[in-house]
């Protein structure tokens, strides 16, 4: 699938919106991306996850692990395509953990899956959970790469799309200077 075809799915589902947005970080942006709006359609979830699965199909691993909530659908779908086990981490009292009886064996090889990677903060939290069990991460797969700097992992990172993450400080935002009304995504008008 071409870049344009993927972009058209993101726009058609409302996942990718252009305008003037107030992000949860407090920064302003021309672009807002909500991956759940793509993943709500299983046929699209399949298309994007199949591409991640194909990239990692020659890697040796037993389990896919993803951070709740955003990563779960991606991890489950990639695991289904490659016939692997799929588990997820959850944040409790601020700390990422395996719950629900999930565990990893020592030396178990694991693929991390996410919906969107921006700073790789949650991926690195998942990595610390993997290492706590003595297991080993072999890669990170995501639908969208929104990184603006090198995320510094010692295993391959593959994303199906790169969406540049240009953001502005509220006091230095060109869209504010044009007096464009700002939208807070997820809130009702
Ligand atoms: Zn602004």
């Amino acid at each position: 699938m071409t870049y344009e075809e993927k972009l058209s799915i993101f726009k058609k589902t409302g996942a990718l919106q252009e305008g003037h947005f107030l992000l949860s970080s407090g920064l302003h942006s021309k672009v807002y991306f909500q991956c759940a709006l793509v993943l709500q359609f299983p046929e699209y979830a399949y298309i994007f996850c199949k591409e991640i699965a194909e990239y990692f199909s020659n890697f040796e691993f037993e389990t896919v692990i993803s951070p709740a909530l955003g990563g779960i659908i991606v991890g489950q779908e990639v695991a289904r395509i490659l016939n692997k086990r799929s588990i997820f981490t959850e944040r409790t009292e601020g700390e990422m953990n395996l719950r629900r009886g999930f565990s990893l064996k020592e030396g178990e090889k694991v693929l991390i899956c996410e919906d969107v990677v921006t700073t790789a903060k949650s991926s690195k939290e998942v990595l610390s959970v993997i290492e706590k069990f003595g297991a080993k991460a072999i890669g990170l797969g995501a639908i969208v790469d929104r990184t603006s700097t090198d995320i510094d992992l010692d295993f391959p990172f593959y994303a199906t799309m790169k969406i540049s993450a240009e953001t502005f400080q509220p006091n230095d935002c060109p869209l504010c200077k044009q007096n464009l009304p700002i939208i807070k995504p997820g809130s009702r008008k």
Side-chain angles (χ1 to χ4, degrees), residues 89-186:
T89 63
E90 294 167 83
R91 212 184 290 276
T92 46
E93 287 160 11
E95 198 175 333
M96 205 71 106
N97 269 307
L98 286 179
R99 302 184 69 205
R100 301 168 198 271
F102 289 150
S103 80
L104 289 164
K105 295 192 298 281
E106 193 167 342
E108 186 167 352
K109 295 193 176 83
V110 185
L111 172 67
I112 304 170
C113 280
E114 288 239 44
D115 54 352
V116 181
V117 173
T118 307
T119 60
K121 182 173 172 278
S122 57
S123 310
K124 286 176 181 170
E125 288 175 309
V126 173
L127 179 61
S128 69
V129 172
I130 293 168
E131 287 171 345
K132 199 167 73 185
F133 283 86
K136 188 178 175 355
I138 58 93
L140 169 62
I143 308 280
V144 167
D145 173 359
R146 289 206 68 177
T147 59
S148 48
T149 53
D150 183 17
I151 53 173
D152 189 31
L153 298 170
D154 32 356
F155 44 78
F157 170 39
Y158 180 80
T160 68
M161 282 285 273
K162 170 93 189 169
I163 295 176
S164 73
E166 194 183 10
T167 51
F168 310 105
Q169 294 294 336
N171 58 2
D172 188 29
C173 171
L175 305 166
C176 284
K177 284 174 186 144
Q178 291 169 44
N179 289 317
L180 290 171
I182 194 159
I183 299 158
K184 191 170 177 220

Side-chain angles (χ1 to χ4, degrees), residues 34-47:
Q34 175 49 268
C35 204
L37 293 175
V38 181
L39 299 175
Q40 70 180 316
F41 300 103
E43 62 182 302
Y44 296 146
Y46 172 70
I47 287 170

